[in-house]
Amino acid sequence: MNLPKEVVICEVGPRDGLQNEDKVIPVDEKVQLINKLSDSGYQVIEVGSFVSPKAVPQMASTDEVFSKIQIKQGVEYRAFVANLKGVERAIECGCKKVKLNVSASKKHNLANLNMTPSESVSKFKDCVDLALSNGLEISGSISMPFGSPWEHKIPINDVKDIVKAYLNVGIKEVSLSDASGMAVPLQVYYMCTEFIKEFPQVKWILHFHNTRGVGNANILAGMQAGVTWFDTSFGGLGGCPFVPGAEGNVVSEDVIHMLHEMGVETAIDLDKVISIAERVSLIVGHSLPSYILKAGKSSNLIR
Ligand code: ZN
């Protein structure tokens, strides 16, 4: 198999996970969690989002969280933004990396914003300019490129058009986000292989939800195609507001355990990650869809 020696795991639990909880988590709890994440070796942490506090009250405190976390050298603390206002808030509180998003579904994007996905991306130019001129990095995410509840499969050329639109506005880091949990491994392999070949200048990140139980298999397929950056969430926390029954993201500790057992390095301390997931379960007040939390590491069985 064509496995990389090392991959980068981006922890998205503080954003994608906690935003799906009914309960709003106190700032100090979030700050402690994020400090523990950087301490466990994560190189990328998605801290929160700068979006309307009315629409997403769980993320209203992201500015305060940013001002209170202990910034560890070499760690990228990123945040999700939807518009210029979001970039302004990021600059204000010292956030150095923001991520935009567009839906790959034409129907979804037309219904929501009355624009095609590529037109939406071309409107991000002012966000990119503001971010770059203030020393922030900026990336773009494409949600549901592997399939959407509106049209099932998305034509690959439609997704390529969105990637080109991102490149046109100056964004070279693109995350493919299977928020609807419809991706399957063979599709991931072929799409990623083709994207990497056609857009070698892009840094690709894969973001899978485990809605239909194939999240980890999709990660393996992504690695086979040459992708080395993956989003995961502590305890598998997360969901998707548009997708009925959507499960959370792929589980950080399950993915890291799988990778380490295969000799793929992450520079992350799995034991620390497990204790963070245990803490998250207590904070949110319910059990989490994590295999490793239930069964423990396979190396624990050796006596
Ligand atoms: Zn997600």
Side-chain angles (χ1 to χ4, degrees), residues 12 15-16 19-20 177-179 207-209 231 238-240 248-249:
V12 297
R15 201 275 303 172
D16 213 1
Q19 81 173 12
N20 278 288
S177 165
D178 184 32
H207 176 112
F208 293 116
H209 283 242
D231 287 352
C240 178
N249 293 270

Side-chain angles (χ1 to χ4, degrees), residues 150-216:
W150 289 271
E151 54 263 277
H152 196 198
K153 297 278 185 243
I154 308 279
I156 190 165
N157 285 332
D158 286 6
V159 185
K160 285 181 184 175
D161 284 344
I162 304 171
V163 176
K164 286 175 197 157
Y166 268 133
L167 288 169
N168 270 339
V169 296
I171 287 179
K172 291 199 203 74
E173 180 184 311
V174 179
S175 164
L176 302 173
S177 165
D178 184 32
S180 51
M182 292 166 78
V184 288
L186 202 63
Q187 174 196 26
V188 170
Y189 177 78
Y190 283 116
M191 277 179 70
C192 291
T193 301
E194 195 162 328
F195 287 155
I196 289 171
K197 205 171 89 191
E198 189 159 334
F199 305 104
Q201 70 275 50
V202 172
K203 175 172 134 188
W204 298 100
I205 301 180
L206 290 174
H207 176 112
F208 293 116
H209 283 242
N210 210 21
T211 306
R212 291 174 180 82
V214 287
N216 286 18

Side-chain angles (χ1 to χ4, degrees), residues 6-9 11 33 35-45 72 75 232 234 251-261 264-278 292-293 297 299-300:
E6 195 178 357
V7 298
V8 177
I9 299 295
E11 172 60 55
L33 277 177
N35 289 343
K36 281 183 202 292
L37 291 168
S38 60
D39 176 62
S40 64
Y42 280 103
Q43 295 165 60
V44 185
I45 302 167
K72 189 178 161 192
V75 176
T232 66
F234 37 44
V251 183
S252 301
E253 55 275 17
D254 292 359
V255 171
I256 294 165
H257 179 267
M258 174 183 87
L259 293 170
H260 289 183
E261 287 292 315
V264 179
E265 297 300 325
T266 64
I268 296 167
D269 183 327
L270 179 56
D271 291 316
K272 287 186 176 175
V273 169
I274 292 170
S275 71
I276 291 170
E278 284 164 346
I292 294 298
L293 277 193
K297 300 187 291 181
S299 60
N300 288 352

Side-chain angles (χ1 to χ4, degrees), residues 105-163:
S105 162
K106 263 187 190 153
K107 275 188 194 161
H108 181 212
N109 215 66
L110 283 167
N112 265 3
L113 302 164
N114 203 24
M115 285 184 273
T116 67
S118 299
E119 283 166 352
S120 283
V121 170
S122 67
K123 298 257 190 285
F124 289 154
K125 181 83 172 92
D126 52 355
C127 292
V128 178
D129 291 345
L130 183 66
L132 294 180
S133 62
N134 282 277
L136 275 71
E137 280 187 74
I138 186 159
S139 65
S141 156
I142 302 174
S143 62
M144 299 179 279
F146 304 103
S148 91
W150 289 271
E151 54 263 277
H152 196 198
K153 297 278 185 243
I154 308 279
I156 190 165
N157 285 332
D158 286 6
V159 185
K160 285 181 184 175
D161 284 344
I162 304 171
V163 176

